[in-house]
Amino acid sequence: MIEYVTSVEDVDLDDLDGFFVGWPSKPSKASHLELLRRSERVVLARETESRRIVGFVSAVGDGVLTAFVPLLEVLPEHQGQGIGTELMRRVLALLE
């Protein structure tokens, strides 16, 4: 099962394994965590039992009129299951 959370308070560096596949210069886990913390809104997809993060989406904006989604990632082994769609649905709802 997948659960969706909007806080990164209990996320540590080991939770961020496997993202940015194929990027020629991927961010470090520390940079990844920092960008999640500094985002205006974030939604994480976690496996319920293992608590492993399998996807995330971040949104940044002016807090008034404009926002954009710079990053949406789902681990390769979890793609094709609707997780990315659900992450987008939830972050857009948070930005309304």
Side-chain angles (χ1 to χ4, degrees):
M1 293 273 311
I2 301 294
E3 65 181 355
Y4 297 89
V5 297
T6 58
S7 172
V8 296
E9 287 182 25
D10 64 342
V11 175
D12 61 37
L13 297 180
D14 292 332
D15 293 329
L16 300 175
D17 282 328
F19 290 102
F20 303 103
V21 173
W23 284 47
S25 180
K26 63 183 182 179
S28 67
K29 290 180 191 177
S31 292
H32 184 182
L33 184 54
E34 189 63 20
L35 76 84
L36 292 174
R37 287 182 175 151
R38 292 185 183 212
S39 295
E40 183 177 343
R41 297 283 189 264
V42 65
V43 182
L44 307 173
R46 295 188 103 145
E47 290 178 328
T48 306
E49 286 187 28
S50 70
R51 308 290 296 154
R52 178 179 179 213
I53 296 173
V54 299
F56 72 92
V57 63
S58 62
V60 295
D62 58 24
V64 179
L65 181 64
T66 306
F68 70 98
V69 173
L71 293 169
L72 168 65
E73 291 260 343
V74 176
L75 294 177
E77 63 269 24
H78 290 276
Q79 292 175 4
Q81 300 174 30
I83 294 170
T85 300
E86 185 63 16
L87 286 167
M88 280 302 297
R89 188 188 72 73
R90 288 174 183 253
V91 80
L92 290 174
L94 291 172
L95 291 168
E96 284 187 354

